[in-house]
């Protein structure tokens, strides 16, 4: 069994520790490319760096970093059909390298999030220090304070709030909870992890380039005027968003394809439902925000004049919140799911209204894309306010279903008040306040008063810290025995829980008040009448910060020295408790078979079993089960198509922007002859590839290779013409229309370069003796990618050149 | 039994909380002195009155779970026991939908109707027009009906003076009057007088109107909420992008206008 469990390669070659090598390659990449660009294209102020050289240098550094931490051996060489010269590390070294075990990746994500939380938390402590005084005294200038706000918010959002419960516990627990032995794209997720430290470091270094002032939303046109630091905000967010995209792709595919036999959709655990819904949100909206940030970056470098008075400033705000609101549900939905995962176990009582709770998660997901404009009530036509406030108020109905299930289960239960159980109740309570303050914000007349005041800051910290961070800590205690095999100290756990609960509520309830009294956001200085309340907030905030540190210390202590835990200390019924603690590398000695509902108590029939015979029976009688080779193959294909589908989103955004900005530009003449040539070469290249695909079943290596070469050459010609189109500058650059035109060209260019790279790798692979017919998938994938992006390129080309 | 105890405690606590809110804390939204602000104030209080019992219900159930089960509670709870099974879920859904619909109709829709009506051109023929220009980082006020280009106080700082009980039409622009040809000149600001209870973003390339009427006289000197405050981050100067406001009687306003006109003439002749 378990033929896919990775065997460490026997030929071991000693290399530098991966993280060290990553830093080295990143540094070399940065210096080389930065120097090259700054020399070729000098000017713009600084002699050694320009914003262009920084951007390209950073890109090279990121590539160097990823290759250095292991992508070189584990991704690039295999693409060319070369076997990796080193195997995976063992022992603690696994955590500092390229790890394909989802449990290692999960712990890596959790550690990264915790470190990011510490870093951004320290910044918050400094901000609270500044706010003890009505005048500026701690930071050197208001710009520095605003840069601190931006770095704090960005890191907290993109490396903590949307990561800890998804990349962290999602990676660790979801495969265990569905009885899978591995995830579908282990190498992708190993790679994606290392984008988080890269992104966090990038954002943290941004003040070196100048104090940017926009905060985490990067509103335009302020962003394009800000000092250079905002460059590293765009780039860092791009890296972290990629990480979440890869996590989501991997988990969604795993959930769809790798469930244990008998684990039907209605039986799916609550937490898995939560992760499933939000990974779908991520896949939809992360590409959208990435293209938006790329546009902002280009707007700054070129400039494109898309988002200032010449274009449409509001377009950027809308694009931001279209993503931004679903983002907040990516943060809290896993927390909702956790409540109902932990409460029935701690109460040993059947989960009440389970189907309602699941329905709630799904409806929240569906509605989350429809309420975004409530962030823009101060920018709205009257007629738009009423529907958006309606939808916003109504989203509390499905949210309430999470409460309904939790409270119904708690009712008259013998709730075991362990630390995670207590923290879950605190999360419920805090989120109740966070959600109820949202009801005020949904009413436009009230919102027009409290919008952009500290009331809003308190509201979102109540939902994020109060709801999500408390649930995260609860999950840490709940799954600690599973991950480490050790228990924590119950007394300390509860005391510390109480500590953060009290300090959190003091700090943030006072923050509501200070907002109601007229204190606005993003201010390092304020009118003196607000000082006493701010003092209370700061003291409580420091206590809160200390409380988080103590929790971290307690968890680390318990992990290493805590009393040993039994395999199933809480008497949980979901699948992760069916294996040992900590689980073996392949998760389950035998694949479990699910026969019942995990959340029904009061019966002695277990919901799942690991009977080998029954599993064998299933395998023989039913469709291919999870983990089997055909199933994994199907999963890979499905995931790959999903990946291609989300690549469409940037083009849709660009198209939408063209229509939104219609009033702002004069469509100008593009070079139609060049466009015709581009389409011709692309079409020929596609036809030739299509014939290669058709030749695959005949296993005719030589003819396949010939056709691949042919389409490679045509692709290069296409790229050359595309470059001409760019250099030719038929469309004036500094106009919104030009901006969208060249951005679309640029993205086509990027996709084509990737496609050519993959195609080249395939050609090399066949040259090196890979027989296409034996393992057709890599070739098919390369071809599909090329077909897909070629078709998109042609369609957009058509759109721009003729429509 | 539990049900009855919980019900009584909840009703009692709700009554107490409502009483406390109505008699002690109802000024939470601050002192609001404009027609729009008074709407916001009543809406805030109404929402609170609806939310208080709901808050106490949910948090009460959470606290109830914390209480140790009484020893005398002889019947061990069945693991499937829920508050009278599906009835609770149905009541809950109907209840939340009803509460949300209520809050959406009143205050939201009712108030919005009033605000929309107040903005109709027919209702704003005789407004005092004040052109507000936001630039990094200054609020510039001009009164075109009185040919005042930029009003300042004795210290030379921009000053906004509004007559009480007279509708005002603020025309909001974000631009740099000193560099009118620079399309990249300015950024988004937000025009906010905390005591008025309303704010509106000011966007480069757009002109927006905000209609309000002050309901009582006030001054920044006695109430720091009577100030113009930028409420959208606009760069390092953002915290200090504020201006004092005075709300005066019609007579005082006329006197102030005359003084400003005199100053403007003397500045011009200098
Ligand atoms: C450790 C306790 C924390 C404290 C004391 C704290 C404090 C603050 C303060 C003072 C601000 C500036 C508000 C403003 O003027 O706009 C802020 C902004 C923010 N915080 Fe926190 N925070 C904490 C934790 C968190 C966490 C855990 C998250 C999310 C995971 C978070 C997310 C944000 C965001 C998104 C912003 C907005 C930044 C912006 O306006 O660009 N914070 N926080
Ligand atoms: Cu939102
Ligand atoms: Cu401002």
């Amino acid at each position: 069994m378990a033929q896919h469990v990775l065997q460490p390669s026997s030929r071991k070659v000693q290399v530098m520790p991966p993280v060290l090598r990553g830093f080295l390659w990143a540094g070399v990449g940065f210096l080389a490319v930065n120097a090259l660009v700054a020399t070729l294209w000098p000017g713009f102020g600084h002699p050694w760096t320009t914003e262009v050289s920084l951007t390209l240098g950073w890109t090279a550094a990121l590539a160097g970093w990823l290759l250095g931490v292991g992508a070189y051996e584990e991704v690039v060489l295999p693409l060319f059909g070369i076997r990796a010269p080193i195997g995976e590390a063992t022992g603690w070294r696994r955590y500092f390298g390229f790890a394909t075990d989802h449990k290692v990746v999960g712990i890596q994500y959790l550690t990264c999030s915790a470190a990011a939380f510490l870093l951004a938390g320290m910044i918050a402590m400094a901000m609270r220090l500044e706010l003890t005084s009505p005048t500026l005294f701690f930071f050197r200038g208001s710009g520095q304070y605003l840069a601190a706000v931006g770095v704090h918010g960005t890191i907290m959002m993109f490396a903590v709030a949307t990561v800890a419960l998804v990349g962290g516990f999602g990676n660790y627990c979801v495969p265990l909870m569905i009885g899978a032995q591995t995830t579908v794209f282990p190498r992708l997720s190993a790679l994606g992890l290392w984008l988080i430290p890269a992104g966090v470091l990038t954002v943290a270094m941004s003040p070196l380039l100048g104090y940017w002032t926009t905060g985490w939303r990067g509103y335009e046109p302020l962003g394009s005027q800000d000092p250079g630091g905002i460059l590293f905000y765009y780039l860092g967010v791009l890296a972290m968003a990629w990480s979440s995209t890869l996590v989501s792709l991997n988990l969604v595919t795993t959930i769809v394809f790798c469930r244990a036999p008998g684990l039907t959709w209605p039986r799916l655990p609550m937490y898995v439902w939560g992760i499933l819904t939000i990974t779908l949100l991520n896949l939809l909206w992360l590409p959208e925000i990435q293209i938006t940030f790329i546009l902002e970056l280009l707007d700054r470098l070129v400039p494109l004049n898309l988002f200032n008075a010449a274009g449409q400033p509001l377009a950027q705000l809308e694009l931001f919140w279209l993503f931004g609101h679903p983002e907040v549900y990516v943060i809290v939905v896993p927390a909702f799911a956790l409540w109902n995962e932990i409460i029935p176990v701690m109460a040993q009582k059947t989960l009440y209204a389970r189907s309602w709770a699941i329905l709630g998660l799904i409806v929240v997901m569906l509605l989350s894309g429809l309420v975004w404009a409530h962030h823009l009530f101060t920018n709205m036509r009257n007629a738009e306010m009423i529907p958006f406030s309606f939808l916003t108020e109504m989203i509390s109905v499905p949210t309430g279903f999470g409460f309904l299930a939790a409270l119904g289960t708690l009712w008259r239960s013998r709730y075991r008040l362990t630390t995670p159980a207590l923290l879950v109740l605190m999360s419920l309570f805090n989120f109740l306040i966070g959600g109820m303050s949202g009801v005020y914000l949904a009413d436009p007349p009230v919102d027009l008063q409290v919008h952009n005041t500290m009331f809003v800051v308190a509201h979102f910290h109540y939902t994020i810290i109060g709801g999500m961070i408390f649930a995260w800590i609860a999950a840490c205690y709940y799954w600690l025995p599973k991950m480490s095999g050790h228990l924590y100290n119950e007394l300390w756990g509860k005391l510390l829980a109480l500590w953060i609960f009290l300090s959190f509520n003091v700090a943030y309830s006072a923050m509501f008040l200070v907002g109601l009294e007229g204190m606005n956001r993003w201010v390092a200085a304020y009118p003196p009448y607000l000082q006493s309340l701010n003092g209370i907030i700061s003291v409580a905030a420091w206590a809160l910060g200390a409380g988080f540190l103590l929790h971290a210390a307690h968890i680390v202590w318990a992990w290493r020295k805590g009393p040993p835990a039994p395999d199933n200390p809480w008497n949980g019924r979901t699948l992760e408790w069916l294996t040992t603690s900590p689980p073996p590398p392949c998760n389950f000695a035998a694949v479990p078979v699910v026969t019942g509902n995990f959340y029904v108590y009061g019966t002695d029939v277990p919901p799942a079993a690991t009977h080998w015979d029954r599993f064998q029976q299933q395998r023989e009688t039913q469709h291919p089960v999870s983990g089997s080779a055909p199933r994994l193959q199907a999963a890979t294909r499905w995931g790959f198509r999903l990946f291609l589908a989300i690549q469409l989103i940037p083009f849709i955004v660009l198209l939408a922007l063209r229509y939104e900005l219609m009033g702002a530009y004069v469509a100008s003449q593009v070079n139609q002859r060049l466009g015709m040539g581009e389409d011709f070469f692309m079409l020929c290249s596609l036809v030739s590839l299509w014939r290669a695909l058709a030749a695959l079943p005949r296993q005719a290596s030589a003819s396949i290779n010939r056709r691949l070469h042919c389409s490679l050459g045509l692709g290069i010609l296409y790229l050359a013409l595309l470059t001409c189109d760019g250099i030719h500058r038929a469309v004036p650059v500094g106009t919104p229309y030009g901006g969208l035109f060249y951005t679309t060209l640029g993205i086509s260019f990027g996709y084509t370069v990737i496609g050519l790279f993959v195609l080249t790798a395939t050609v090399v692979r066949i040259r090196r003796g890979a027989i296409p017919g034996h393992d057709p998938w890599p070739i098919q994938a390369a071809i599909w990618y090329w077909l897909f992006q070629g078709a998109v390129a042609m369609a957009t080309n058509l759109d721009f050149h003729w429509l | 039994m539990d049900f009855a105890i919980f019900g009584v405690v909840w009703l009692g606590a709700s009554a107490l909380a409502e009483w406390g809110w109505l008699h002690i804390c109802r000024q939470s939204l601050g002192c609001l002195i404009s027609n729009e602000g008074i709407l916001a104030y009543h809406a805030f209080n109404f929402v609170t009155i609806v939310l208080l019992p709901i808050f106490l219900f949910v948090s009460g159930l959470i606290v109830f779970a914390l209480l140790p089960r009484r020893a005398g509670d002889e019947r061990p709870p069945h693991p499937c026991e829920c508050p009278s099974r599906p009835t609770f879920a149905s009541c809950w859904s109907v209840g939340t939908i009803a509460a949300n619909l209520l809050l959406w109709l009143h205050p939201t829709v009712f108030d919005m109707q009033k605000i929309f009506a107040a903005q109709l051109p027919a209702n704003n023929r005789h407004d005092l027009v004040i052109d507000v220009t936001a630039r990094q980082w200054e609020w510039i006020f001009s009164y075109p009906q009185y040919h005042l280009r930029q009003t300042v106080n004795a210290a030379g700082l921009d000053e906004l003076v509004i007559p009480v009980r007279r509708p005002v039409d603020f025309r909001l622009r974000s631009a740099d009057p000193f560099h009118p040809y620079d399309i990249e000149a300015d950024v988004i600001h937000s025009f906010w007088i905390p005591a008025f209870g309303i704010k509106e973003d000011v966007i480069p390339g757009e002109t927006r109107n905000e209609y309000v009427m002050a309901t009582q006289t006030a001054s920044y000197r006695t109430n720091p909420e009577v100030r113009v405050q930028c409420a959208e981050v606009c760069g390092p100067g953002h915290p200090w992008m504020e201006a004092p406001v005075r709300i005066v009687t019609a007579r005082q306003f006329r006197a102030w206008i005359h003084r400003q006109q005199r100053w403007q003439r003397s500045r011009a002749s200098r």
Side-chain angles (χ1 to χ4, degrees):
Chain A
M1 54 152 297
Q3 69 284 19
H4 52 278
V5 173
L6 285 169
Q7 300 294 328
S9 157
S10 48
R11 284 184 301 144
K12 270 202 181 168
V13 180
Q14 199 62 41
V15 291
M16 220 187 291
V19 176
L20 211 62
R21 194 177 68 170
F23 268 114
L24 195 70
W25 289 13
V28 172
F30 178 81
L31 290 179
V33 172
N34 178 64
L36 188 72
V37 178
T39 323
L40 289 183
W41 198 1
F44 306 115
H46 203 276
W48 297 315
T49 58
T50 67
E51 295 205 349
V52 178
S53 78
L54 279 171
T55 307
L56 296 175
W58 179 88
T59 314
L62 186 74
W65 165 251
L66 291 180
L67 291 173
V69 293
Y72 178 65
E73 282 88 5
E74 305 271 353
V75 179
V76 176
L77 289 186
L79 261 186
F80 288 91
I82 304 169
R83 198 153 158 242
I86 51 163
E88 275 196 31
T90 50
W92 62 270
R93 283 197 183 80
R94 280 180 304 165
Y95 295 99
F96 293 90
F98 194 92
T100 47
D101 180 342
H102 71 90
K103 298 184 288 301
V104 177
V105 175
I107 291 172
Q108 286 175 320
Y109 265 111
L110 285 171
T111 318
C112 285
S113 276
F117 186 66
L118 181 70
L119 178 69
M122 296 308 255
I123 297 175
M125 299 298 109
M127 277 146 52
R128 281 319 316 177
L129 180 62
E130 176 59 66
L131 292 178
T132 53
S133 156
T135 53
L136 203 64
F137 81 101
F138 178 72
F139 282 95
R140 296 214 315 276
S142 170
Q144 196 185 38
Y145 173 83
L146 287 173
V149 172
V151 173
H152 162 80
T154 309
I155 293 183
M156 283 292 193
M157 291 307 257
F158 290 100
V160 182
T162 51
V163 170
L165 290 182
V166 188
F169 280 116
N171 260 320
Y172 192 95
C173 293
V174 163
L176 284 169
M177 294 176 101
I178 61 175
Q181 291 178 319
T182 173
T183 55
V184 176
F185 298 110
R187 285 186 293 178
L188 215 55
S189 97
L191 189 70
L193 165 91
W194 291 104
L195 287 163
I196 291 283
V200 171
L201 283 180
T202 307
V203 175
M205 286 194 300
S206 64
L208 293 178
L209 302 185
Y211 299 136
W212 51 293
T213 62
T214 60
W216 85 287
R217 309 160 312 161
Y219 271 13
E220 293 286 1
L222 183 60
S224 48
Q225 299 185 0
D226 255 356
I230 196 160
L231 214 63
F232 272 6
Y233 155 77
Y234 297 136
L235 295 173
V237 172
L238 278 178
M240 293 187 275
W242 261 116
S243 179
S244 287
T245 310
L246 297 182
V247 168
S248 302
L249 194 67
N250 185 24
L251 288 183
V252 125
T253 320
T254 306
I255 293 171
V256 172
F257 283 91
C258 299
R259 282 165 293 132
L263 186 49
T264 53
W265 289 110
R267 287 178 182 162
L268 204 65
M270 296 304 292
Y271 192 57
V272 181
W273 269 114
I275 296 293
L276 179 67
T277 48
I278 61 107
T279 45
L280 291 176
L281 281 182
N282 267 344
L283 289 178
L284 186 56
W285 296 111
L286 285 174
E288 187 264 342
I289 196 63
Q290 285 175 311
I291 182 67
T292 306
F293 275 25
I294 289 175
L295 280 174
E296 287 171 49
L297 183 72
L298 292 175
D299 198 345
R300 180 183 173 82
L301 296 180
V302 176
L304 308 180
N305 289 324
L306 277 176
F307 300 127
N308 57 24
Q312 174 60 273
L314 281 180
Q316 187 266 335
L317 275 61
E318 284 161 4
L319 285 175
F320 182 83
W321 285 115
L322 262 171
F323 145 84
H325 199 85
E327 163 100 344
V328 311
Y329 284 102
V330 170
I331 295 171
V332 295
V333 163
F336 297 166
L338 262 175
W339 299 341
N340 291 323
E341 193 64 54
I342 297 180
I343 286 177
V345 175
M346 289 304 169
Q348 293 289 300
K349 183 168 168 238
T350 301
L351 179 58
Y352 178 66
R354 176 156 182 275
S355 40
W356 293 75
I358 295 172
L359 189 74
L361 297 180
I362 296 174
V363 176
V364 162
M365 170 189 88
L366 296 178
L367 280 181
S368 70
L370 299 177
V371 301
W372 55 278
H374 61 213
H375 297 268
L376 299 172
F377 280 140
T378 51
N379 283 300
M380 214 180 256
R381 290 186 192 88
N382 292 339
E384 294 159 352
M385 286 189 178
I386 288 185
F388 276 113
S389 83
F390 176 75
L391 290 166
T392 304
E393 270 162 28
M394 279 303 158
I395 207 164
S396 61
V397 174
T399 309
F401 291 166
F403 277 94
L404 167 70
L407 296 174
T409 314
L410 284 172
W411 178 252
R412 283 178 58 87
S413 69
R414 290 177 188 275
Y415 195 56
R416 291 180 291 170
L417 208 59
T418 57
T419 306
L422 184 62
L423 281 161
V424 162
L425 294 190
M426 291 170 172
S427 168
L428 269 168
F429 178 85
N430 293 335
F431 191 82
L432 176 68
I433 298 184
M436 289 202 153
S437 55
V439 177
Y440 295 96
L441 300 173
D443 180 47
V446 177
D447 182 68
L448 293 184
Q449 169 67 341
V450 294
H451 175 71
N452 276 357
T453 67
M454 292 310 257
F455 185 92
V456 171
V457 179
H459 157 75
F460 70 72
H461 282 89
Y462 254 100
T463 54
I464 301 178
I465 303 186
M468 179 265 165
I469 299 282
F470 272 70
W472 178 28
I473 301 177
C476 286
Y477 282 112
Y478 179 70
W479 278 312
L480 180 77
K482 176 88 307 191
M483 295 191 293
S484 70
H486 294 278
L487 282 171
Y488 56 88
N489 180 306
E490 201 60 80
L491 178 69
W492 274 107
K494 273 190 235 172
L495 271 182
L496 291 176
L498 209 59
W499 176 331
I500 57 171
F501 180 72
L502 292 177
S503 50
F504 168 75
N505 273 287
V506 171
Y508 285 94
S509 55
M511 201 181 276
F512 277 127
L513 295 183
V514 85
L516 291 178
E517 292 193 358
M519 178 167 173
N520 50 329
R521 292 174 68 179
W522 305 294
V523 290
Y526 50 83
Y529 75 103
L530 298 164
Q531 186 174 14
S532 50
L533 265 177
N534 269 303
I536 297 175
I537 300 172
S538 288
V539 172
W542 295 325
L544 176 63
F548 285 139
L549 274 183
L550 290 175
H551 268 295
H554 179 209
I555 289 172
V556 170
W557 166 82
W559 188 293
R560 305 183 47 200
K561 303 246 168 68
D567 278 348
N568 188 357
W570 314 121
N571 200 13
R573 291 164 72 91
T574 33
L575 291 180
E576 79 271 29
W577 301 110
L578 228 62
T579 181
T580 55
S581 297
C586 64
N587 291 350
F588 298 95
V591 172
V593 179
V594 181
T595 49
N597 186 327
F598 297 122
Y599 300 93
V600 175
Y601 286 84
T603 99
D604 290 332
V605 187
T610 47
H611 290 312
W612 180 243
D613 304 345
R614 269 169 72 187
F615 170 58
Q616 205 93 43
Q617 257 175 9
Q618 292 247 344
R619 168 176 277 188
E620 270 138 36
T621 53
Q622 280 194 349
H623 66 301
V625 291
S626 77
S628 65
R631 195 81 178 141
L632 270 181
Q633 215 171 53
T636 318
R637 275 149 215 241
W638 190 84
F640 185 72
R641 281 186 212 121
L642 190 61
F643 178 73
L644 291 187
I646 66 172
Q647 302 302 309
L648 275 176
I649 295 172
F651 289 103
I652 296 174
V653 171
L654 288 169
L655 203 67
L657 260 181
R658 271 189 62 197
Y659 288 100
E660 167 139 8
L661 290 175
M662 204 64 119
Y665 63 68
V666 193
S668 31
Q669 199 56 50
V670 293
N671 189 326
Q672 294 203 344
R673 246 181 308 159
L674 270 179
M676 219 128 77
E678 283 160 24
D679 283 356
F680 174 73
F681 286 131
M682 184 45 91
L683 202 66
C684 293
S685 165
L686 286 187
V687 169
S688 147
L689 263 184
W690 190 258
R691 293 181 52 205
L693 195 62
L696 261 184
R698 286 186 279 118
Q699 317 233 356
S701 281
S703 78
I704 291 176
N705 221 4
R706 205 171 48 246
R707 280 168 190 151
L708 288 182
H709 273 107
C710 180
S711 45
L712 201 59
L714 287 164
I716 292 171
L717 282 177
Y718 166 79
L719 212 56
L721 279 194
L722 208 61
T723 318
C724 288
D725 216 346
I727 296 174
H728 187 62
R729 297 221 191 143
V731 183
V733 177
T735 61
Y737 182 82
L740 291 173
F741 177 68
Y742 290 110
T743 309
T744 313
L745 279 194
I747 293 184
S748 283
F749 190 92
Y751 280 8
T752 315
V753 169
I754 297 175
L756 285 178
F757 175 76
V758 175
L759 217 54
T760 314
T762 312
V763 169
V764 172
R765 216 179 148 95
I766 296 176
R767 275 261 178 85
R768 289 177 54 89
I771 302 168
H774 284 180
D775 182 17
W777 171 240
I779 297 170
Q780 284 171 338
I783 291 176
W784 274 109
Y785 182 83
W786 189 243
L787 282 175
F788 166 83
Q789 65 88 15
V792 170
M794 279 174 57
T796 50
N797 207 348
L798 208 69
D799 181 37
F800 264 109
H801 284 90
W802 283 281
L803 299 182
Chain B
M1 192 56 202
D2 281 350
F3 195 73
I5 297 176
F6 179 79
V8 170
V9 172
W10 171 56
L11 286 178
S14 300
L16 205 67
E18 299 284 14
W19 183 87
W21 176 260
L22 290 173
H23 291 87
I24 303 169
C25 320
R26 60 178 304 162
Q27 282 296 337
S28 292
L29 194 54
C31 162
L32 293 167
I33 53 166
S34 79
N35 54 346
E36 306 263 353
I38 288 167
L39 279 182
Y41 168 82
H42 287 302
F44 187 88
N45 281 347
F46 185 82
V47 172
T48 311
I49 287 168
V50 175
L51 288 187
L52 270 178
I54 302 178
F55 171 73
L56 288 170
F57 181 74
V58 176
S59 51
L61 280 177
I62 296 174
V63 173
F64 211 66
L66 289 172
L67 301 180
R69 298 277 117 219
R70 286 171 305 284
D73 197 356
E74 65 300 329
R75 190 169 56 101
H78 188 266
C80 303
E81 185 183 0
C82 309
S84 43
R85 304 290 170 83
T87 333
F88 181 57
S90 320
C91 291
W92 174 286
S93 328
V94 173
T96 49
I97 291 176
N100 277 298
L101 279 178
L102 166 69
L103 286 179
W104 179 65
L105 286 174
H106 182 281
T108 304
V109 172
F110 285 5
D111 285 356
M112 296 314 289
Q113 296 295 327
K114 284 186 209 155
I115 294 177
F116 297 169
Q119 294 175 349
L120 291 177
N123 295 334
N124 290 284
R125 288 222 186 87
H126 310 292
D127 286 6
L128 169 65
V129 174
I130 304 181
D131 278 326
V132 179
T133 307
R135 72 175 200 111
Q136 281 165 313
W137 293 277
E138 183 186 12
W139 292 105
I140 299 171
F141 309 104
S142 48
Y143 293 68
Q145 289 150 330
Y146 300 98
H147 309 290
L148 289 173
R149 278 190 301 276
Q150 180 172 10
T151 57
V152 290
N153 61 15
L157 298 173
D158 290 286
E159 185 186 37
L160 176 63
V161 174
I162 300 166
V164 71
R165 302 217 64 82
R166 172 152 174 213
V168 180
D169 173 2
F170 288 110
R171 301 205 172 144
L172 310 169
R173 290 186 192 90
S174 168
D176 192 334
F178 308 113
H179 302 93
Y181 300 109
D182 186 354
I183 49 164
E184 295 186 40
D186 231 286
V187 302
I188 300 179
H189 303 275
S190 189
F191 178 70
W192 182 40
I193 300 175
F196 277 12
I198 186 169
K199 63 174 71 72
E200 180 73 27
D201 282 7
V202 194
I203 309 276
E206 286 187 28
T207 301
R208 294 185 172 182
N209 299 60
E210 180 182 304
Y211 304 96
V212 270
M213 186 175 74
T215 53
Q216 63 192 67
T217 57
S219 152
Y220 179 64
R221 223 167 292 147
T222 50
N223 178 359
E225 291 196 40
V226 189
R227 67 182 195 271
V228 178
Q229 173 78 63
C230 178
E232 181 59 61
V233 65
C234 52
H238 169 65
W240 298 284
M241 189 163 159
E242 47 188 11
V245 178
R246 276 193 299 136
I247 297 154
V248 298
T249 61
R251 163 110 63 65
Q252 288 167 322
F253 182 68
R254 272 197 303 279
W256 179 79
I257 288 287
H258 286 310
R259 199 163 63 243
Q260 290 289 335
Q261 285 169 337
R262 238 184 5 260
W263 283 354
Q264 181 162 318
R265 273 197 301 277
S266 72
R267 271 203 305 271
S269 62
R270 237 188 297 133

